[in-house]
Amino acid sequence: MIRFVNRYSSLTHGCETMVIKVAINGYGTIGKRVADAVDAQDDMEIVGVTKTRPAFGCDLAVRKGYPIYCTYDDAEKIAAFASAGYECHGGLTDLLNIADIVIDCSPGKVGAGNLEKYQSAGVKWIFQGGEKHAMTGMSYTSSANHEENLNVEGTRVVSCNTTGLSRTLVPLYNHCGSLSVECTMIRRAADPGDSSKGPINAIKPVLKVPSHHGPDVMTVKPEISINSMAVAVPTTIMHVHVIVAQLPEGHGLTTESIIDMWSNEPRIILMSGGETGITTTAEVMEYARDIGRKWGDLHEIFVWRDGVKLEANTLYYFQAIHQESDVIPENVDAIRALMGTESNWRVSVEKTDNAIAQYNNIL
Ligand SMILES: NC(=O)c1ccc[n+]([C@@H]2O[C@H](COP(=O)([O-])OP(=O)(O)OC[C@H]3O[C@@H](n4cnc5c(N)ncnc54)[C@H](OP(=O)(O)O)[C@@H]3O)[C@@H](O)[C@H]2O)c1
């Protein structure tokens, strides 16, 4: 039964616009950030977040005023929250019953087990980049394929790396009409709050060649021909991409015009390392903390202006990706696409980013 068709028909009934009810399944690194980004918007609200057990993260949800639900429907697991002093409003099924859409922020490869629950509850669903495109059949980034995602039942917001690659490559592709890209992903070993991963004193090549990161761009922009290799390095704060793109003959671009093009696109920051002294990911993250972003996040992709060089048809550049946060505003835009409430990606991006900026009090 496709329950969501009727459930959502009231969203734009008459002149009144309803507020989209959003559930967050998995309140970890990505889930807590998506929850706050959604909470900042005036056209959507958080109806609940899930925790597997009454542990780290519950206090944050209480402080934010987000109702806590248990990841499971098991009565004993639900009761454990009350024993630990947290009000738990029920299991996942109870949460899905009051939601229009669920954002699955469970650990990678876990989400596939949740899909059936979402479908039988009749809610729309958004997975994250740790899940495979083959599982969702649809993927999303704001600049690449918002329109294709309008009114679909579910999608996957691509990974932080794929989101970052799309931000700079899609406008280039849109100008050139074809693009062939080779890139190397220098990846952070673990998130700052994760003590279980490494390496801590080694450089670890991803021996599956090519790596999945580049080709994943083709799930949102199949016209871009792209391959990648990856290495993990002992840092927790950002990824760096080393990108070499072949532009077609007659592209009509210069190094400066490419920089101008990116300057006019949303969610890209261009700065000169030489002029600003921001020459490594450490200073990029310090800059994010200086401008008052919550958790020190940087939703934008950071491109070093003085590291961009076009020689004939070959473009060279570096970009840095804040892995924990570039996908966050994309989830908000994806909600509007799936719910069919905003068909223009640029309008959605502007609305999302303004609301987050006000919420962070950094306008
Ligand atoms: N971290 C990044 O840099 C990053 C960037 C882009 C995309 N992503 C993707 O985003 C997704 C989430 O990653 P993350 O880094 O946020 O992971 P995380 O920090 O480990 O958080 C995942 C949360 O999901 C909860 N959980 C565990 N099993 C679950 C289940 N069966 N159903 C629902 N929730 C469950 C966990 O439980 P507790 O309640 O026990 O805490 C945890 O809080 C993954 O697909 C990942 O690949 C991550």
Side-chain angles (χ1 to χ4, degrees):
M1 179 176 66
I2 308 174
R3 241 171 71 200
F4 61 81
V5 171
N6 292 331
R7 190 189 285 198
Y8 305 141
S9 59
S10 60
L11 277 170
T12 51
H13 182 69
C15 299
E16 202 182 323
T17 303
M18 302 280 289
V19 172
I20 302 165
K21 295 181 176 0
V22 182
I24 306 287
N25 191 21
Y27 193 63
T29 307
I30 297 297
K32 67 185 176 186
R33 288 172 164 84
V34 173
D36 276 17
V38 166
D39 192 42
Q41 313 299 316
D42 64 9
D43 55 343
M44 47 191 84
E45 66 173 328
I46 295 293
V47 290
V49 303
T50 66
K51 289 296 294 176
T52 59
R53 61 198 177 94
F56 180 58
C58 286
D59 287 333
L60 180 64
V62 170
R63 229 175 33 247
K64 303 274 180 184
Y66 304 143
I68 297 173
Y69 287 78
C70 179
T71 311
Y72 313 101
D73 289 333
D74 186 300
E76 217 171 294
K77 291 193 165 118
I78 294 170
F81 284 83
S83 310
Y86 297 106
E87 185 181 5
C88 179
H89 295 256
L92 178 63
T93 302
D94 298 307
L95 176 57
L96 296 178
N97 277 338
I98 57 163
D100 296 319
I101 187 164
V102 57
I103 316 299
D104 188 299
C105 301
S106 63
K109 301 184 182 64
V110 167
N114 291 334
L115 179 58
E116 208 179 294
K117 295 175 195 165
Y118 304 153
Q119 287 176 325
S120 60
V123 292
K124 295 204 172 193
W125 39 270
I126 296 176
F127 284 98
Q128 306 303 310
E131 308 302 328
K132 291 201 180 320
H133 176 79
M135 192 267 285
T136 57
M138 182 63 91
S139 291
Y140 180 91
T141 63
S142 309
S143 64
N145 66 344
H146 184 86
E147 281 184 19
E148 277 168 28
N149 278 270
L150 286 176
N151 298 305
V152 301
E153 181 191 359
T155 197
R156 173 188 75 123
V157 168
V158 292
S159 74
C160 49
N161 281 303
T162 308
T163 297
L165 288 167
S166 300
R167 292 253 180 94
T168 47
L169 291 176
V170 168
L172 257 187
Y173 170 82
N174 288 343
H175 175 91
C176 294
S178 76
L179 208 53
S180 177
V181 182
E182 298 288 341
C183 51
T184 303
M185 320 273 94
I186 301 171
R187 302 184 52 232
R188 62 87 177 95
D191 286 337
D194 181 355
S195 60
S196 67
K197 293 187 188 143
I200 57 167
N201 186 27
I203 296 173
K204 185 178 178 186
V206 174
L207 298 176
K208 186 179 173 299
V209 177
S211 76
H212 70 273
H213 309 92
D216 202 38
V217 171
M218 294 190 272
T219 64
V220 290
K221 199 74 182 167
E223 300 90 341
I224 296 177
S225 164
I226 176 165
N227 267 316
S228 62
M229 294 175 79
V231 287
V233 296
T235 182
T236 60
I237 53 179
M238 292 190 102
H239 305 304
V240 168
H241 296 168
V242 182
I243 300 173
V244 182
Q246 294 300 328
L247 314 190
E249 289 294 338
H251 52 73
L253 292 167
T254 62
T255 302
E256 275 314 310
S257 69
I258 290 170
I259 289 171
D260 283 350
M261 174 195 294
W262 285 335
S263 308
N264 290 316
E265 291 295 326
R267 298 179 186 157
I268 300 175
I269 290 177
L270 285 126
M271 282 192 195
S272 158
E275 286 169 17
T276 61
I278 301 181
T279 52
T280 76
T281 53
E283 289 94 19
V284 176
M285 285 286 85
E286 187 65 8
Y287 166 76
R289 288 189 285 266
D290 285 350
I291 59 175
R293 293 288 172 84
K294 222 182 263 186
W295 291 290
D297 285 352
L298 195 67
H299 296 157
E300 297 86 348
I301 303 312
F302 188 97
V303 179
W304 282 276
R305 189 185 280 266
D306 36 356
V308 181
K309 183 85 188 279
L310 180 66
E311 284 196 324
N313 296 336
T314 307
L315 173 67
Y316 304 88
Y317 67 104
F318 299 100
Q319 61 181 20
I321 311 295
H322 185 228
Q323 78 278 355
E324 295 170 286
S325 72
D326 69 335
V327 300
I328 303 307
E330 308 269 328
N331 273 274
V332 175
D333 300 329
I335 292 171
R336 292 200 186 98
L338 266 59
M339 302 305 294
T341 55
E342 180 51 69
S343 58
N344 183 323
W345 74 270
R346 287 187 188 274
V347 173
S348 179
V349 163
E350 195 179 348
K351 183 173 173 61
T352 301
D353 293 356
N354 282 341
I356 291 172
Q358 271 166 3
Y359 195 70
N360 279 346
N361 202 16
I362 52 169
L363 268 187

